[in-house]
Amino acid sequence: FFFGLNNVSVLLQCCFREPLVTQWVMSRPEAFRCSICAMGDIKHARFVKKEDSRKINTKIALFEDAYIMQNPFREDSLPLAIGGVCSNCSRVVCVSPKCSLFYTRRFCKYCCLSYQDEFPSQVVKDIVANMQ
C-alpha cells in the first residue's frame, strides 16, 4: 500500500528498533475497510487507542486512535498506520490523502469538504487539490 507522505497520520518517533510485545501479537485482529475508497478487507489490522500505542513499541507515539498492521514486507519493522476514524462523523477511513486528512484530528473527505471554512487556508488548498 502506498499513502501520500504529506498526510501520514502517525508520527513514529523511533531511533532503535524494538521487538513487538506480546500484547500486539496476542490482541484480536479486526477487519479494516475504508468507507470511502473501499481499500481494505485487511483481516489482520488492529484498532489501537492512542494511549495504548506505547504497549506496542516504546518508540511509537500515535496521535490518534488508529488501525495498524504489521508491515507485510518486513517482519522486523514498526507497524504501519493504515486508517482511523473521522472525528466528526465516525466513518472508518484510510490515511490516503484522497480519503482523509489529519489536522489535529482525523477528518474524512466528506467532512473536510463540508467544513473547509473551518481549516486554515493552506490546509484548504490541500483539501481542494486532493479530495475533489
Side-chain angles (χ1 to χ4, degrees):
F1 304 101
F2 175 76
F3 300 109
L5 296 177
N6 62 342
N7 192 32
V8 175
S9 66
V10 178
L11 296 178
L12 300 176
Q13 302 167 348
C14 67
C15 298
F16 305 101
R17 302 255 187 238
E18 292 184 9
L20 299 176
V21 296
T22 54
Q23 286 180 335
W24 161 255
V25 177
M26 299 301 288
S27 66
R28 196 181 91 223
E30 294 184 33
F32 172 81
R33 185 178 185 92
C34 178
S35 62
I36 294 176
C37 71
M39 186 281 293
D41 282 339
I42 299 170
K43 309 263 188 282
H44 302 291
R46 283 155 171 78
F47 185 73
V48 177
K49 294 199 170 284
K50 65 182 176 183
E51 55 271 4
D52 293 336
S53 63
R54 295 281 185 194
K55 293 177 185 175
I56 296 169
N57 187 299
T58 58
K59 301 295 181 190
I60 294 176
L62 292 173
F63 292 114
E64 67 175 325
D65 299 346
Y67 285 91
I68 62 173
M69 67 178 276
Q70 186 65 41
N71 185 340
F73 305 107
R74 292 190 57 194
E75 287 187 24
D76 63 339
S77 68
L78 293 170
L80 301 173
I82 58 172
V85 178
C86 177
S87 60
N88 192 44
C89 69
S90 301
R91 276 189 181 97
V92 174
V93 290
C94 68
V95 297
S96 168
K98 295 184 185 288
C99 296
S100 69
L101 167 78
F102 184 82
Y103 181 76
T104 68
R105 297 178 293 173
R106 172 84 34 214
F107 295 96
C108 73
K109 170 185 180 174
Y110 303 116
C111 291
C112 284
L113 294 172
S114 297
Y115 299 104
Q116 306 184 36
D117 301 341
E118 305 295 324
F119 293 102
S121 60
Q122 290 179 324
V123 175
V124 171
K125 289 178 188 175
D126 283 344
I127 291 170
V128 171
N130 291 326
M131 296 185 179
Q132 290 187 348

